[in-house]
């Protein structure tokens, strides 16, 4: 796409940044969903959204150029350009993942069958008229509590035929007939939700005999790279929002770990190529690993300003706060309901809809628990960074004893 395709028009840089952040995060999920399901349709949607990101970046850059009138303006706005460029890089990486499907780049079928067992499944379903979910709100359905599955995005067509995505839908959002919903959760729950939405039984990828004996190692590596890269993106935005050098350092460490994983994965793939009849079928694995590593690189670029001691422009923090999925930092009070409990024991994610992505231990002031799991304990004095809906943020704030106003 050339600049001639987009003419300058006054736009809110904050709105552009917020949409770019939400779209980039959706693209990661959609691109992996396309690979897991071998879906050309989802892959094409990824490329459509990637095109939208191109336009957003051009609009944002034009507005920033119009705003820079003196050297001081350029210094303040340069990090904003960096955040925009990083979001665009994530979008491009997601497009590369989608092309694994569209261009039929080699990918062992056994990978598709094995990946859902290693990670939360990503499945798209259509809400059919007259089914159990049509015309009901997510709160009424109570999907996540009953099945462990959450709706992470809804695609809806307006009366004019224009498609739009509703990201991170909340409890008051209603599922309408013909909506396309993106589901994330365990396989058992996915099967239940898919049937309730579509009226048809869910058919998981068929298990096939892996062409390589230790294919599980590849699955584990790809899964870990994806999880680390997604976490790095979340933490990078958190580092900018809270101007936290400690969180930014965690992003840098995660990026280095993903680099090391990719290097080991490439070595494994090259050795595996000598043990299969057609090594070309492993090309997709190389593409998937490379694109995932690019996502972690982009996360580091988002937090680079914090690492260099450059104050983020207020518009960046405002855009993060106004995105569809909020990132919050909360302190755990010693007398709070969640103090002394574990994330899994209290089912924090189910109770609030918030995902705790990092915990800083209060007693040391510097120890970060990244990728906290069900057994991670919350202690009085801890600081947590969590991601989810505004309503969920309010509920989580009550449970940790840090009640504050979260504007809609």
């Amino acid at each position: 796409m050339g600049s001639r395709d987009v003419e300058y028009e006054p736009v809110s840089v904050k709105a552009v940044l917020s949409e770019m952040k939400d779209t980039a995060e959706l693209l990661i999920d959609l691109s992996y969903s396309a690979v897991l399901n071998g879906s050309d349709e989802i892959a094409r949607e990824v490329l459509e959204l990637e095109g939208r990101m191109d336009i957003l970046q051009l609009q944002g850059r034009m507005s920033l150029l119009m705003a820079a009138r003196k050297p001081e303006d350029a210094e303040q706005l340069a990090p904003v350009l960096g955040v925009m460029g990083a979001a665009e890089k994530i979008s491009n990486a997601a497009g590369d993942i989608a092309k694994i499907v569209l261009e039929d780049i080699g990918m062992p079928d056994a990978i598709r069958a094995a990946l859902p067992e290693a990670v939360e499944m990503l499945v798209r379903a259509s809400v059919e008229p007259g089914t159990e979910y049509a015309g009901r709100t997510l709160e009424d359905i109570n999907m996540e509590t009953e099945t462990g599955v959450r709706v992470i995005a809804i695609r809806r067509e307006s009366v004019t035929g224009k498609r739009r995505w509703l990201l991170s839908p909340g409890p008051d959002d209603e599922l309408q007939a013909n909506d396309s919903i993106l589901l994330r959760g365990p396989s058992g729950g996915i099967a239940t939700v898919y049937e309730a939405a579509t009226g048809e039984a869910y058919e998981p990828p068929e298990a096939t005999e892996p062409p390589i004996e230790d294919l599980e190692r590849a699955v584990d590596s790809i899964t870990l790279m994806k999880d680390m890269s997604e976490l790095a993106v979340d933490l990078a935005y958190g580092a900018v929002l809270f101007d936290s050098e400690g969180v930014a350092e965690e992003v840098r460490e995660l990026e280095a770990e993903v680099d090391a994983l990719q290097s080991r994965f490439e070595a494994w793939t090259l050795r595996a190529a000598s043990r299969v009849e057609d090594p070309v079928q492993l090309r997709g694995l190389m593409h998937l690993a490379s694109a995932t590593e690019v996502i972690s690189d982009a996360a580091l670029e988002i937090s680079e300003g914090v690492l260099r001691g450059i104050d983020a422009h207020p518009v960046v923090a405002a855009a993060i706060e106004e995105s569809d999925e909020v990132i919050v930092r909360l302190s755990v009070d010693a007398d709070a309901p969640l103090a002394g409990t574990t994330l899994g024991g209290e089912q924090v994610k189910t109770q609030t809809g918030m995902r705790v992505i990092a915990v800083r231990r209060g007693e040391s002031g510097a120890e970060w628990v990244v990728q906290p799991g069900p057994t991670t304990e919350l202690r009085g004095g801890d600081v947590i960074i969590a991601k989810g809906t505004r309503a969920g943020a309010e509920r989580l704030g009550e449970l940790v004893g840090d009640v504050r106003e979260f504007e809609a």
Side-chain angles (χ1 to χ4, degrees), residues 211-212 214 266-277 279 282:
I212 310 166
D214 56 349
E266 287 178 348
W268 174 89
T269 306
L270 290 172
R271 285 193 294 267
S274 65
R275 294 175 289 159
V276 296
E277 291 184 7
L282 301 180

Side-chain angles (χ1 to χ4, degrees), residues 154-352:
I154 301 171
R155 195 198 71 187
R156 181 169 295 160
E157 291 193 11
S158 65
V159 291
T160 60
K162 184 178 180 180
R163 294 177 179 177
R164 70 182 184 93
W165 282 95
L166 173 62
L167 310 181
S168 304
D172 295 331
D173 288 307
E174 179 182 293
L175 297 185
Q176 300 177 7
N178 300 316
D179 278 352
S180 181
I181 56 178
L182 190 62
L183 307 169
R184 189 172 196 166
S187 57
I190 287 288
T192 300
V193 171
Y194 187 91
E195 185 169 357
T198 67
E200 299 177 358
Y202 173 69
E203 297 183 6
E206 293 184 7
T208 59
E209 188 67 26
I212 310 166
E213 290 183 1
D214 56 349
L215 187 63
E216 293 83 0
R217 185 185 304 177
V219 172
D220 291 343
S221 295
I222 288 291
T223 300
L224 187 56
M225 287 179 66
K226 176 182 181 293
D227 289 345
M228 284 186 169
S229 294
E230 284 188 304
L231 177 62
V233 172
D234 288 339
L235 290 180
Y237 282 116
V240 172
L241 179 60
F242 307 121
D243 192 25
S244 172
E245 188 174 347
V247 176
E249 287 289 352
E250 292 293 346
V251 175
R252 177 150 56 189
E253 290 185 13
L254 282 168
E255 190 273 338
E257 288 187 45
V258 173
D259 282 350
L261 279 169
Q262 186 198 15
S263 179
R264 292 196 293 271
F265 182 80
E266 287 178 348
W268 174 89
T269 306
L270 290 172
R271 285 193 294 267
S274 65
R275 294 175 289 159
V276 296
E277 291 184 7
D278 182 13
V280 174
Q281 66 180 304
L282 301 180
R283 286 180 61 219
L285 292 176
M286 299 284 282
H287 279 252
L288 189 58
S290 177
T292 304
E293 192 273 334
V294 169
I295 294 171
S296 71
D297 287 346
L300 185 58
E301 289 183 17
I302 292 170
S303 57
E304 187 175 12
V306 178
L307 290 170
R308 293 180 179 273
I310 302 173
D311 292 335
H313 193 283
V315 73
V316 179
I320 296 171
E321 288 183 312
E322 290 196 5
S323 64
D324 287 315
E325 206 168 36
V326 298
I327 299 173
V328 295
R329 180 172 61 180
L330 300 168
S331 298
V332 181
D333 188 83
D335 298 324
L338 289 185
T341 68
T342 63
L343 294 175
E346 293 299 313
Q347 296 185 314
V348 172
K349 189 175 177 183
T350 301
Q351 277 198 69
T352 67

Side-chain angles (χ1 to χ4, degrees), residues 28 30-40 42-44 46-47 50 92-109 111-112 115 222 265 280-293 295:
I28 296 174
L30 279 177
S31 61
Y32 273 90
S33 178
V35 171
L36 290 177
N37 295 282
S39 171
D40 286 3
I42 298 177
R44 282 191 289 269
V46 171
L47 297 188
E50 186 186 3
N92 292 339
D96 289 341
I97 292 172
K99 288 172 185 174
I100 294 173
V101 178
L102 291 175
E103 298 177 5
D104 200 20
I105 298 173
M107 175 68 72
D109 290 336
I111 283 283
R112 294 194 175 97
L115 271 174
I222 288 291
F265 182 80
V280 174
Q281 66 180 304
L282 301 180
R283 286 180 61 219
L285 292 176
M286 299 284 282
H287 279 252
L288 189 58
S290 177
T292 304
E293 192 273 334
I295 294 171

